[in-house]
Amino acid sequence: NCQADAKTIQENTRIDPEGKEIFSLSIQDTAYDTRENAGKALLELVGTAMDSEQPVPIGSYKGLTIQAVYLPFEKEFHAQLVGAGVYDVTLGADALGNIIRLTNAAASMQKRIESSQESLRQLEKQLQNAQEELQKPFAHEQELADKSKRLAELNALLNMNEKENAIDSVPDEESQACQRVIRQPEPQVR
């Protein structure tokens, strides 16, 4: 997604003869060539998002759609640059600051790509290391087997003792009869 959006941004970035970037941002079909005017227009329209549960398309910047979003729990307005991916920018009260945030979000595409590629390389290396470790035999396999066998033997002995105790603790009929006979009162002699 980032690669496609980075390409779109590059294709829609205009450079003047001196090598400087030419600013251009559209808000509701009106093109702005100054950051300050674009920021003011953005602030005027961002409130339309309060009435909608869905992001509201309000313009475009460097080939990406700008959407206004209101997050009621945070009580924040956000702008999203939308292409193949969605890139969120928190908006504030400063018109120029908001445009700088959008510009930085668009400019950070290449850094995002590089960061994602580096993360992917690290994950692939970790996967390779894990697969190599799986191929190695377990160094303490025999010791584990011996101790597991001994544990099973001890558990069997413990279970036998529990069964004997359970058998001894259940009174049988003969012992109950003896207890009744012993407890009967003796006849009185006169």
Side-chain angles (χ1 to χ4, degrees):
N1 292 344
C2 272
Q3 288 178 335
D5 292 336
K7 184 178 180 185
T8 300
I9 289 169
Q10 184 178 7
E11 291 171 352
N12 289 280
T13 299
R14 298 182 320 189
I15 306 294
D16 69 11
E18 297 173 6
K20 294 182 181 178
E21 184 179 318
I22 300 171
F23 178 80
S24 178
L25 186 141
S26 295
I27 301 287
Q28 287 200 337
D29 300 326
T30 301
Y32 294 91
D33 58 0
T34 66
R35 287 174 170 79
E36 189 173 332
N37 290 339
K40 289 177 183 176
L42 177 67
L43 280 177
E44 288 175 9
L45 277 178
V46 81
T48 60
M50 283 187 80
D51 299 330
S52 176
E53 293 180 14
Q54 301 296 320
V56 178
I58 59 172
S60 64
Y61 180 59
K62 294 191 176 194
L64 302 178
T65 301
I66 300 172
Q67 295 180 342
V69 179
Y70 178 67
L71 303 175
F73 293 116
E74 291 85 3
K75 296 183 181 177
E76 291 179 341
F77 288 98
H78 288 233
Q80 295 176 335
L81 291 175
V82 181
V86 177
Y87 312 96
D88 195 72
V89 175
T90 303
L91 298 176
D94 181 29
L96 189 57
N98 291 333
I99 297 302
I100 290 171
R101 288 184 193 99
L102 285 172
T103 302
N104 290 342
S108 70
M109 290 296 165
Q110 190 58 39
K111 289 179 185 175
R112 287 178 193 237
I113 292 169
E114 291 168 4
S115 175
S116 295
Q117 288 173 339
E118 180 59 29
S119 294
L120 180 61
R121 278 192 291 274
Q122 289 177 359
L123 289 172
E124 287 172 343
K125 183 156 180 62
Q126 290 174 1
L127 177 62
Q128 180 183 359
N129 290 341
Q131 288 173 337
E132 288 172 6
E133 286 296 317
L134 283 174
Q135 299 304 318
K136 293 180 183 178
F138 181 51
H140 303 285
E141 186 172 356
Q142 186 58 45
E143 181 182 358
L144 177 63
D146 293 343
K147 291 189 177 184
S148 294
K149 182 178 176 184
R150 179 67 180 142
L151 179 62
E153 291 171 358
L154 291 173
N155 281 336
L157 287 173
L158 287 172
N159 287 339
M160 283 179 44
N161 285 340
E162 287 178 10
K163 288 179 183 174
E164 288 174 7
N165 289 340
I167 292 171
D168 289 344
S169 66
V170 176
D172 58 359
E173 291 180 21
E174 190 175 304
S175 65
Q176 286 179 350
C178 289
Q179 288 176 356
R180 275 187 244 133
V181 169
I182 294 172
R183 289 187 187 152
Q184 288 181 356
E186 293 181 24
Q188 294 181 349
V189 180
R190 287 190 191 178

